[in-house]
Every structure is written in C-alpha cells, then in structure tokens.
Amino acid sequence: MVIATTKIQYKILLSIILIAGLLLTLFTSQWYWLNKGKNDIAAQSEKQINELVLFIDQQLAQFEIIPEVIATNPILQEGLLAQKDPQKIAQLNAYLSELQEVTESSDIYLTDALGVAIAASNWQQPNTFINQDYSFRPYFIEALSGRAGRYYAVGTSSDKRGFYFSNPVLHNGVVLGVIVVKVDIGVIEQQSTGIAIAGQYEFMISDPDDIIFLSSINHWRFRSLAPLSQAKRFALNTSKRYATRPISELAIKPPYNALAEAELHTYQITSANGSETFLEKNKLMPKANWTLHVLAPLKPLYKSLPTIMLLTASLYLLLVLLILYAIERRKNLRRMLHAHNLLEQRVKERTLELEQANTKLKDTQDELIQAAKLTVIGSLSASINHELNQPLAALRSYAQNTQTFLGRNMFDDAKNNLKIMIELTDRLADIIAQFKSFTRKSQGKDNAIEIEQAIEQALTIVQPEIDKQGVKLCKTMLKGKCQIWGDTVRLQQVLVNVISNAIVAMQQSPMKRLNITASKATTSNKLIISIQDTGPGVREGQMSKIFEPYFTTNERQGLGLGLSISQRIIESMQGKITVENDVEGGAIFKIHLPIYLYEDART
Ligand code: ADP
C-alpha cells in the first residue's frame, strides 16, 4: 500500500516536472526564435533602408542641379527685367514648358523678387502658377538670400506633393527673382513602393515635424507620428506645407519615440485594415532633413511560431521518451543483473549443498562398502580364526619343546626350534598384515593394479575358507603383465566377495572346484576375470535380482549387499560384472575391466 502511494506520488511529480520542462522549453524556444527572427529582420531592414535612401537620394539629385543651370540663362534675367513685356513672358513660358518636358519634372516656374510667379511651365493650364504668391515658401526665402533652396510641400495650387528646388536669378549680384523646379514626389513614392513590395516591407518618410508625407501605405500618408499639439497645428497651417490636407495622428502603440535608444523598435499600427505589428528602423536623410522609416511586418514571424512550437514540443517529447526509455533500460539491466547475481548466488549455494550432499552420500557409500567388506570378513572369521590359531598352537608346542631341549642342554635342537618359531611369527605377521590391509578403509585413490597380484592378495583372505571347505582351486593367469586402473582395496573386495559367494554356493556340492581365470578379450582391449564354481548355479528367476541391494538367499550370514556393491565398484572402474550358469552346473561370474597396460610375456 505504502509502495503504491509512493509510486503514484512519484508519477505525479514526474508529470509536473515534465510539463514544467515542456513549458520552459516552449518559452525558451519562443523567446529564442522571436529574438533571432527580429534580429534577422533588423539586419535585413538595415540593408533595405540604405538601399531605399540611396534610391530616393539619387532620384532627387537628378533634379537638384536643374535650377542652378537654368538660373544662368539670360532669358530669365531678361524676363524679370521686362515683366510687362508679354512677348518676353510668352517666350519664358514656352522655354519653361519645354524644360519641364525635357527634365520630366512636375513644374518649373519663375518668381520675381517678391515671390509672385511671372512665368510657369503650366502657363496654359487653368490652375497655372502665374500670379501666385510664393513668398511664404521657405525655398523662396532661401533663394532670395542668395542660396539654393530645397523644400517639400503640397502645392497650394496643384494640391500635389512636390519637392521644390530653387535658385536665385542674379543680375549684377542682385537677386532679380527665383527659379523653382517642382518634382512630383508621387512618382518617387510609387517607385519606392515597388521596391518595398519586392522586399516585403513597408516604408514611410517623415519630415522634421514627424508628419508622414510619403508611404507605401496610403492610410499612413499625412499622419503625424507624434501627438499633435495646438502650437504644432498652428505652425503647420502657417507654413502651408501641407496646403489644405488635414493632418491627423497615426494610431501607433507604443507612442513613437524618434530618440528611442533600443536597437529594435516594435510598433503596433492600427489602420482601416486592422492592427499590425512592425519592426521599425529609421535613417535620417540629411540633405532633405527627412527620416526614412522601414517597417518590417512581424506577422510572418509570428505565423511561423506555432509550427516552431509544435516542432519544439515534438522534439522535447522525443527527448523525454528517449530519456525515459534509457532510464527504463538501465533499470531493466540492473534488475536483470540483480536477478543474474541472485541466480548465480543460488546456483553457488545449491552447488555447495549438492557437493555437501554428495560428500555425505560418498561417505555413506564408503561406510556401506566398508560394512559389506566387514560382513564378508565376518563370514570368513571362523576360517581366519583357524588360520591364525594353527601357527599359534604350533608356536606354543615349539616353545614347550624348546623348554625341554634347554632343560636337557640340547642347544642345537632348541636353536632350530627358535628358528622355526621366528618363521611362524613372520607368517602370522604376514597374514595379519594382509587382513589389516584388506579391512582398512579405502583412501579412494586410483592407481595401476597388477592383476595377478590383486587376485593373489584376495586369495590370501579366502584361502583359510577354501582350505576349510576343501575346495579345489584352479588358477589360470595371463602369461604377460597386465595392469588395470582403479582402487586396489576395492577390487580385492569384489574378488573376495565373488570367491566367498562361490565357496558358500558349493557348501552342499559333492565336488568343490573353483576356477579362477584371467584372460584378455579377443575383440577389445579388456581383461576378463572369470570365477567359476561347481555349486548349483544361480536360479533362473534370480539372475537379474542377485545384483539388487539386499537380495540374499543366505539369510543367516548375508546382507545381500555384496554383489550390488561389487557391481558399483566395477562400474566405477568403467567395467562390468556378469553372471551365467555353466551348462554342466555352477555359476560363472565374469568381471570385465579396461586394460591399462598389457605386456605380453613373449615380447
Ligand atoms: P549375500 O552374499 O549377502 O547373500 P550377495 O549380494 O553377495 O549377498 O549375493 C546375493 C545372492 O546371489 C546370494 O544370496 C545368492 O543367492 C546369489 N549368489 C551369489 N553368488 C552365487 C553363486 N556363485 N552361485 C549361486 N548363487 C549365488
């Protein structure tokens, strides 16, 4: 329960972290994207503004020189000096009209020193400039003082936006009049708009009063960037720069600040078509004293944001999934490693347990083998007893005789007796040594066994019983030297067991004959020890049973373990033990063992 609650808490915490991470990533990515986008746009605007300034400057420069050149033409001075001469004036009008056509300017006109136009290129038109008073225009005042003038304004008669270039017409150093070339700024605006459309931006040009008079957007024209104070309105009316055009404020947010220091200015401008946000860059055009503004719309940048956000969110989710997958994988690997270690530990424990059980089993087996061996010895005890008692009794009688010989000073006979007694003692020691070696627990060590020697040693153990039962022993050994690999004591135990069984089986037989033959198999490198008796043989139904543990027909003395243990011992030596009955009666036990070394006597 506690673990389940902790898991839920962990999941909630993880979800909160992931959501917070997503929001942070989205926020950062949006900030980065907008910032980068704005910087890119600003860099682009910088280039565009320079291009546009250059273009407009070049356009105006074409006309700048014209009034200066015309002013030197004597026809102008002559006209000014003879204003009452209609012929001269007509001549002047024709000249100006021709010039206007050649230079593709809007209008060219000549004013007298009072600012009243005396001749104009549009002399034929109804709203001709002739007789109009331009003395209030700054370009007139500038030229009157002997300098070239330039000015932007909406024509009072034409109501067209124009740029005016003026120059004084001098006669003997006195200003007789002023020649003015008016350029239709609408044409420049049109061409600039084309450039702006190609560059996907908007532009506007504002005068020193922050009034926009040129723009790629009609609605922005004749709007004030800054709030219009009463005094400013009054000044504008006085200068008649914008003739009768009403000037209103541009709906711009935040309020336009021409001196703003920030690198990037973003403004929201509202017009009839709705609101739009622009990034603004501006540049002063010093000659005209104008400010050119390039306004790059931020709409495309904001439009691309959802896609970017979606992409960022997808990448974030992918990253999160990858991280979660990696964590889960690591967890699984750790779990697997833990399980592997646990399994290894279990296997080790189990192996140890099995090893211990194996050792225990081996110990028990050894005990059982030892017990079976001692049982055989037990069954042979009577004859062994006899085998030992015989020399003991002889020793006693020789000792008594020796005593008598010594009493009669028959030292040579006594000496002879003592020699025999020593020999008897040696024989006793030999018999005991054999039994001692047979009855000792096996060390479980294998080595090469000389087969004839092993049979002889086994016979030493059973010899007293053979003698006691009056069994005739026939031995046929191999001619050469033959060795097998195994435990000597164990092999002896098998041989003693099979031989003593044969002796027991022959107890009731009239003829007791034991054939022990060691031979080499003809087809394989095997040794066969055959032990054949003349007993009744193994009963047919018991052939397969006699090797089973605890099967015995000798209830009085047998445990029924002898043959089953013998079989195990022989099998552990990679051999086998078989039984068959001889056609003439009696059992034949055959022990097959792999030969370790064989040396033929003939070689
Ligand atoms: P035990 O000698 O204690 O009975 P064994 O396992 O040595 O146990 O022998 C099992 C049985 O096999 C014997 O009881 C006997 O019936 C039979 N047997 C063994 N050797 C012979 C033999 N040479 N002839 C007839 N039967 C035999």
Side-chain angles (χ1 to χ4, degrees), residues 5-162:
T5 319
T6 321
K7 261 191 173 176
I8 291 169
Q9 279 176 347
Y10 168 76
K11 276 186 181 168
I12 293 173
L13 189 72
L14 187 70
S15 307
I16 292 171
I17 291 172
L18 289 181
I19 292 167
L22 177 67
L23 291 176
L24 191 73
T25 310
L26 287 177
F27 177 78
T28 316
S29 139
Q30 184 186 2
W31 175 84
Y32 171 78
W33 188 250
L34 282 179
N35 213 35
K36 186 187 174 302
K38 283 180 184 173
N39 279 325
D40 288 351
I41 293 171
Q44 179 75 3
S45 301
E46 188 76 38
K47 260 200 309 191
Q48 289 165 334
I49 204 165
N50 287 333
E51 276 169 16
L52 205 60
V53 163
L54 193 70
F55 173 76
I56 296 169
D57 269 347
Q58 273 174 355
Q59 293 299 310
L60 294 177
Q62 287 175 15
F63 299 99
E64 197 171 15
I65 192 78
I66 297 170
E68 199 186 324
V69 175
I70 308 170
T72 55
N73 194 333
I75 193 170
L76 263 70
Q77 294 156 8
E78 284 167 21
L80 283 166
L81 290 171
Q83 287 177 28
K84 300 275 185 281
D85 183 347
Q87 212 177 339
K88 284 255 185 237
I89 295 299
Q91 212 179 348
L92 251 180
N93 281 337
Y95 171 64
L96 293 181
S97 177
E98 196 185 317
L99 264 179
Q100 180 264 320
E101 263 173 48
V102 172
T103 57
E104 289 181 357
S105 56
S106 172
D107 300 287
I108 304 178
Y109 52 98
L110 180 70
T111 69
D112 59 16
L114 295 171
V116 178
I118 59 157
S121 57
N122 58 1
W123 60 277
Q124 279 174 316
Q125 288 167 22
N127 56 346
T128 179
F129 295 170
I130 294 172
N131 292 329
Q132 295 288 335
D133 183 0
Y134 296 105
S135 59
F136 63 94
R137 291 293 200 195
Y139 60 81
F140 170 77
I141 298 162
E142 192 75 16
L144 201 65
S145 57
R147 291 185 296 270
R150 47 195 294 156
Y151 187 69
Y152 163 77
V154 174
T156 41
S157 330
S158 65
D159 200 36
K160 275 189 189 166
R161 287 167 301 153

